[in-house]
């Protein structure tokens, strides 16, 4: 049985990271067009770099929660195809030990050179005009997918979705494509579950929805799957 799991900001909420669209969320306090678009970066690179520096620094103060650990357990124990697709740019899935995982919106702790394309692990601040460690050009940016840019790893994700027998969406509002459309890419007969505090915008597309916090629902689902 082949499994694909999609996660959104809701899986990291109980670790203390703000989501985007919940009350008090990041997009309740900032405008995406001011911080998460190529135009914003061109217009005010210091503002954009400073915002990502702050979000990157916050990762030191949070830890994976029971939901991240449960998915890492499933990844390690599942003897068939498994892919964890996260929209999150935090490092909590990786720190929980996820292996078969792709970050389709990039990662806070990576920098990408717009000159040579090299991607570098990046833990600290990224001031403007930081030279690329590979080519020396002062053209580093956060390796984050901004609005209007192509998500990453889409060919691998699409192949996994077409083959999936079970698709689980966890903690995502179902408002941003292409991730919100993944449930519609499944073959007929595949089982789809949505785990969320409340029904997402695409809840009606799922064969089953469960309401509750990820730290309760995800470990329970993983035990069900591993028990067979
Ligand atoms: N347990 C489960 N679900 C939760 C929890 C929780 N403890 N807390 C919040 N949620 C759910 C909310 O109900 C909501 O459906 O998580 C979802 C968060 O939705 P968003 O804030 O829209 O986050 P996400 O769906 O990941 O956003 C998608 O939008 O801005 C872009 O690139 C950004 O990757 C992000 C994308």
């Amino acid at each position: 049985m082949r499994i694909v799991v999609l996660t959104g900001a809701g899986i990291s909420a109980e670790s203390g990271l703000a989501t985007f669209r919940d009350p008090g969320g990041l997009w309740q306090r900032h405008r995406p067009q001011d911080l998460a678009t190529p135009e914003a970066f061109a217009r005010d690179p210091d503002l954009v770099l400073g915002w990502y520096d702050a979000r990157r620094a916050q990762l030191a103060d949070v830890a994976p929660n029971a939901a991240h650990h449960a998915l890492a357990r499933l990844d390690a124990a599942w003897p068939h195809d498994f892919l964890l697709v996260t929209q999150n740019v935090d490092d909590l899935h990786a720190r929980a030990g996820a292996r078969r995982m792709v970050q389709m919106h990039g990662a806070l702790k990576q920098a990408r050179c717009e000159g040579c394309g090299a991607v570098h692990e990046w833990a600290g601040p990224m001031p403007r005009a930081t030279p690329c460690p590979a080519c020396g050009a002062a053209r580093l940016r956060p390796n984050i997918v901004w609005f209007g840019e192509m998500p990453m790893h889409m060919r691998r994700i699409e192949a996994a979705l077409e083959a999936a027998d079970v698709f689980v969406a966890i903690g995502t509002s179902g408002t941003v494509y292409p991730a919100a459309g993944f449930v519609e890419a499944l073959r007929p007969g595949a089982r789809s579950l949505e785990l969320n505090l409340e029904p997402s915008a695409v809840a009606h597309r799922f064969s089953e929805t469960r309401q509750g916090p990820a730290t309760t629902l995800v470990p329970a689902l993983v035990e069900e799957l591993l028990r067979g």
Side-chain angles (χ1 to χ4, degrees):
M1 186 164 72
R2 293 161 294 216
I3 299 178
V4 175
V5 177
L6 170 69
T7 61
I11 199 169
S12 298
E14 291 165 89
S15 292
L17 290 180
T19 64
F20 292 95
R21 296 171 181 83
D22 289 319
L26 293 176
W27 297 149
Q28 311 296 314
R29 289 176 269 148
H30 307 283
R31 294 181 340 134
Q33 55 269 43
D34 293 342
L35 292 167
T37 64
E39 295 76 16
F41 185 53
R43 184 171 55 245
D44 190 343
D46 293 331
L47 173 71
V48 172
L49 291 169
W51 188 60
Y52 284 98
D53 285 354
R55 290 180 65 197
R56 189 177 309 111
Q58 191 189 9
L59 296 179
D61 306 330
V62 297
N65 62 49
H68 297 105
H69 287 300
L71 289 180
R73 215 170 31 252
L74 180 61
D75 181 3
W78 195 252
H80 311 296
D81 286 353
F82 175 87
L83 184 62
L84 168 57
V85 181
T86 187
Q87 300 172 90
N88 299 340
V89 294
D90 64 52
D91 60 350
L92 296 178
H93 281 305
R95 286 165 57 190
R99 293 278 173 276
R100 295 181 278 181
M101 174 189 66
V102 290
Q103 290 189 272
M104 64 181 287
H105 289 162
L108 278 172
K109 295 183 81 170
Q110 287 181 344
R112 185 171 83 242
C113 177
E114 293 197 306
C116 70
V119 173
H120 307 283
E121 294 307 308
W122 206 271
M126 193 188 304
R128 179 160 31 149
T130 302
C132 166
C135 75
R139 300 193 59 196
L140 282 189
R141 60 167 273 183
N143 191 31
I144 297 274
V145 177
W146 284 328
F147 288 101
E149 296 184 324
M150 273 303 291
M152 303 175 181
H153 312 288
M154 285 308 294
R155 268 198 298 279
R156 180 174 175 192
I157 294 168
E158 284 157 358
L161 288 168
E162 277 162 29
D165 301 299
V166 178
F167 175 67
V168 187
I170 303 166
T172 181
S173 59
T175 52
V176 176
Y177 286 79
F182 285 176
V183 65
E184 295 172 66
L186 302 173
R187 55 176 185 69
R191 182 184 173 205
S192 53
L193 290 92
E194 178 182 87
L195 278 51
N196 198 309
L197 273 186
E198 59 193 23
S200 79
V202 292
H204 59 287
R205 301 279 187 197
F206 286 78
S207 46
E208 184 185 347
T209 62
R210 299 181 183 179
Q211 265 80 52
T215 55
T216 304
L217 295 184
V218 179
L221 175 65
V222 166
E223 292 324 305
E224 275 176 44
L225 289 168
L226 290 177
R227 262 201 320 268

